[in-house]
Amino acid sequence: MFFSIFCYAQSSADYPNKPIHIIVPVAAGGNVDIVARTLGNEMSKILGQSVIIENKPSSASIVGTQYVAKAPPDGYTLLAHSSTFFAAPLISNNAGYDPVKDFAPISLTCKVPMFVMVNPIIQAKNIQEFVQYSKANPGVAVASSGNGSTGHIAAEVFANRAGIKFTNIFYKGNAQAMIDVFSGQVPMMFDQISTGVQNVKSGKLKALAITSLERSSLMPEIPTMAESGYPGYEDVTLNLLLAPAGTPKEITQKLHAAVVKALNQPELKAKFAERGIDLVTSPSADDLGVLIKSEVSRLQKLAKSAGIKPE
């Protein structure tokens, strides 16, 4: 034990002295991947070491998340995740990790609302018409990146409030889910506006509502869920950066400082805002720890009220 502590103390002092790997537990091309790659590029400049992005996709992001939970707590293997991180252990029997106990928080990286999107073959022009359609056609299929993913939770909470029932179709990432929604094999999904806005503007998909409490400046004509008859409905995806539990505080603080410096560049924030992504950072790593506990508690209550059970 003394030797281990001594080694980590030494490594903390000269950290980082080799490449850092950021694990993205979803397929390339989605919001988590896009933000992680930009963050990694900026952090490499700040820290003076290569930051390598590795995609390890799986349903509900479980494989990549478990990989980082079991990695050495030395700051060289990190996890870029979304709100799925909070939810997966609540509704998946094989999540294999505790979001509070198994990770050391570093920082939030962004916030992104979602569109409720359908293939144009669905004739509904708004949420109320879609609810009517769903009641007339029970078990409408909804695509998402897995059990416990942000899209899955948002859809289940909506279904519970609307009194409808979905058939969930799970994928290893939103990009793969989107392909089947394009083709009409699956009629709808909840997806971040950052990856969905161009598909809506091009007419490939139709947005019925946005899940934030305010309309988006990118497409102000799309109403909020609250305006569509569901007051108080809000489901905004949070992205965050984490390390394995036990990572020395000196390292997580250094990483937090690097994230803040990387993501608070005005030009970068403006560039991402054009895609509907709000780059944000936590005031401190400890603040993210408090948020994680709060989100886990909130989602436990949501899962119970929506009748979502582990599978």
Side-chain angles (χ1 to χ4, degrees):
M1 175 64 76
F2 174 79
F3 177 75
S4 174
I5 293 173
F6 177 73
C7 286
Y8 282 129
Q10 277 192 321
S11 63
S12 299
D14 63 356
Y15 176 86
N17 57 22
K18 63 180 182 180
I20 296 168
H21 292 249
I22 296 181
I23 305 303
V24 176
V26 295
N31 171 53
V32 177
D33 182 67
I34 293 167
V35 175
R37 290 182 185 280
T38 300
L39 175 62
N41 182 59
E42 296 301 319
M43 286 178 68
S44 68
K45 300 173 188 175
I46 295 165
L47 296 172
Q49 285 290 343
S50 298
V51 178
I52 301 166
I53 307 300
E54 294 184 35
N55 295 86
K56 292 184 179 294
S58 67
S59 181
S61 306
I62 289 172
V63 171
T65 307
Q66 290 179 348
Y67 178 86
V68 177
K70 297 173 184 177
D74 55 10
Y76 291 102
T77 304
L78 309 178
L79 177 68
H81 217 318
S82 69
S83 298
T84 301
F85 172 75
F86 312 123
L90 304 178
I91 58 177
S92 176
N93 285 321
N94 65 340
Y97 71 90
D98 184 310
V100 175
K101 297 178 181 178
D102 293 337
F103 292 88
I106 296 172
S107 181
L108 283 175
T109 58
C110 74
K111 295 181 180 180
V112 194
M114 289 182 279
F115 278 144
V116 185
M117 301 191 302
V118 297
N119 185 287
I121 60 174
I122 302 297
Q123 296 301 308
K125 297 187 293 292
N126 53 51
I127 287 294
Q128 292 302 329
E129 289 185 8
F130 179 76
V131 170
Q132 293 172 6
Y133 171 84
S134 298
K135 288 181 177 179
N137 300 274
V140 171
V142 56
S144 73
S145 59
N147 190 23
S149 65
T150 54
H152 174 220
I153 291 292
E156 288 292 353
V157 173
F158 168 49
N160 179 257
R161 290 192 61 174
I164 58 179
K165 181 68 176 176
F166 288 131
T167 298
N168 289 292
I169 309 297
F170 296 144
Y171 296 81
K172 292 184 179 180
N174 273 15
Q176 294 175 325
M178 188 79 72
I179 293 173
D180 277 2
V181 181
F182 282 158
S183 68
Q185 293 185 55
V186 182
M188 65 115 32
M189 70 183 295
F190 283 65
D191 190 44
Q192 286 80 20
I193 64 172
S194 55
T195 49
V197 65
Q198 293 305 320
N199 296 317
V200 174
K201 287 184 174 181
S202 69
K204 291 181 179 179
L205 296 175
K206 182 165 52 177
L208 303 181
I210 190 170
T211 62
S212 54
L213 293 176
E214 297 180 352
R215 296 192 182 199
S216 170
S217 60
L218 294 182
M219 296 194 73
E221 69 275 20
I222 306 300
T224 66
M225 289 289 282
E227 293 172 322
S228 302
Y230 299 91
Y233 184 104
E234 181 183 26
D235 203 317
V236 178
T237 299
L238 303 175
N239 282 13
L240 58 162
L241 188 69
L242 307 129
T247 301
K249 197 157 189 175
E250 294 83 358
I251 289 178
T252 57
Q253 288 176 335
K254 189 167 188 177
L255 288 166
H256 174 268
V259 173
V260 170
K261 187 174 181 180
L263 297 184
N264 281 299
Q265 301 177 63
E267 326 81 61
L268 201 61
K269 289 178 74 72
K271 178 182 176 181
F272 273 83
E274 292 174 358
R275 303 185 63 169
I277 299 174
D278 181 17
L279 295 181
V280 296
T281 56
S282 305
S284 70
D286 288 341
D287 283 298
L288 177 57
V290 172
L291 176 63
I292 290 171
K293 291 178 182 178
S294 174
E295 282 297 295
V296 169
S297 175
R298 181 182 72 87
L299 289 172
Q300 285 175 332
K301 294 174 183 176
L302 283 175
K304 184 176 181 180
S305 64
I308 303 172
K309 297 179 180 180
E311 293 183 358

